[in-house]
Amino acid sequence: MRLSLDLTCVLMQLQKKLSDFQDVLADNYLCCYDNLRSIPVEHSDAIAAATTCSTIAKRVLYTTGDISYRKLSNVFVLNGINLFATESDLAERFLYFELKKLSSNQLRTDREIEQMFKEYRPAILGAIFELLAKATVLIHHPVSVKPTRMANAYYEQVAIAKAMGLTESAFDKIIRTNIAAMHKACADTPLVQAVVEYMNGPAFGRRKLTASSTDFYKKVVANYSGQRSSL
């Protein structure tokens, strides 16, 4: 893992080409993307994989068969008005925070924010390192709560939460509320509701279709957009 004491980060816009996006991930540990409306499926999969470490393989030159391998291991900060983490793999790796709108007396210029950050940076770094030191010890302690699907990340987060003074049950409630909020955002979409109801059939749990939900969803979208296909 790369560790830099320079906490300066650059807010970026999402690269359109997946290969360009992967190159940025390979060259940066902390990746911050601003003003997102949606995330393409391929980019969403890349983010999900990079948060738990993955490797990309690319041909070195078109004239040779040599392959170069680059490891992706990233932390992401994603910001946007809409709830953009809709793919299940990313949603369960995603901590969702809904920020309150700033009042007029809370607004600061970039220069003021940079000055405040320089002033508080020693205290911020000290707090982070202290929490990591405590969590390194606590991660080896037994945990009574059952993890979510991302077990390794869950246990690491529990250790950090306990280092911050939270109980296991309090942290577990926060995580499961977060996941429920992500699922609710998808469920509130009328099209998704129609898909779920149709696939469940007359009685809950009885599916009318043998195809996967993803295939059926794509066909519904195609019909909805005027590109007729057989359901």
Side-chain angles (χ1 to χ4, degrees):
M1 178 183 293
R2 293 164 295 190
L3 178 62
S4 172
L5 294 182
D6 182 4
L7 298 184
T8 303
C9 62
V10 178
L11 286 176
M12 298 179 286
Q13 291 187 340
L14 197 66
Q15 292 77 24
K16 292 184 179 180
K17 289 181 60 177
L18 179 61
S19 58
D20 292 342
F21 179 61
Q22 291 173 326
D23 287 338
V24 171
L25 301 190
D27 291 335
N28 296 274
Y29 177 63
L30 176 62
C31 298
C32 303
Y33 287 94
D34 188 31
N35 199 29
L36 294 176
R37 289 183 177 272
S38 61
I39 301 177
V41 175
E42 295 82 1
H43 290 60
S44 179
D45 291 343
I47 294 173
T51 58
T52 49
C53 295
S54 66
T55 302
I56 56 173
K58 289 188 177 182
R59 187 186 298 176
V60 177
L61 297 172
Y62 288 106
T63 55
T64 69
D66 294 337
I67 301 295
S68 91
Y69 298 91
R70 306 188 73 183
K71 184 177 180 180
L72 303 183
S73 177
N74 301 92
V75 172
F76 295 88
V77 178
L78 309 176
N79 173 55
I81 296 176
N82 301 319
L83 190 57
F84 40 78
T86 55
E87 296 296 319
S88 60
D89 281 350
L90 180 57
E92 295 203 7
R93 292 167 167 84
F94 192 84
L95 294 178
Y96 171 66
F97 301 94
E98 187 172 357
L99 302 178
K100 295 181 179 180
K101 186 177 180 179
L102 295 176
S103 60
S104 57
N105 62 341
Q106 293 176 311
L107 298 177
R108 299 288 185 272
T109 64
D110 290 345
R111 185 175 180 179
E112 289 174 322
I113 293 174
E114 290 174 4
Q115 185 60 42
M116 291 172 63
F117 180 70
K118 287 180 180 179
E119 180 181 350
Y120 291 111
R121 177 161 54 182
I124 294 171
L125 280 173
I128 291 173
F129 291 149
E130 183 179 358
L131 285 174
L132 288 176
K134 291 180 179 179
T136 301
V137 176
L138 292 171
I139 197 170
H140 300 293
H141 291 191
V143 177
S144 59
V145 292
K146 293 183 179 180
T148 55
R149 190 175 69 172
M150 305 303 299
N152 288 343
Y154 183 86
Y155 290 133
E156 291 170 359
Q157 291 167 1
V158 167
I160 294 173
K162 290 167 69 176
M164 295 174 65
L166 288 174
T167 64
E168 292 177 7
S169 59
F171 171 76
D172 186 70
K173 182 178 180 180
I174 292 172
I175 287 296
R176 298 190 186 279
T177 300
N178 179 82
I179 294 174
M182 306 296 284
H183 290 171
K184 184 177 184 299
C186 294
D188 283 346
T189 304
L191 181 55
V192 174
Q193 289 180 355
V195 171
V196 172
E197 290 174 5
Y198 186 84
M199 295 193 69
N200 281 338
F204 183 78
R206 291 183 57 191
R207 295 177 56 178
K208 292 183 177 181
L209 301 176
T210 57
S212 69
S213 57
T214 300
D215 291 338
F216 178 63
Y217 181 82
K218 288 179 179 178
K219 290 180 180 180
V220 172
V221 171
N223 277 267
Y224 184 76
S225 61
Q227 302 171 8
R228 295 293 176 183
S229 60
S230 173
L231 294 176

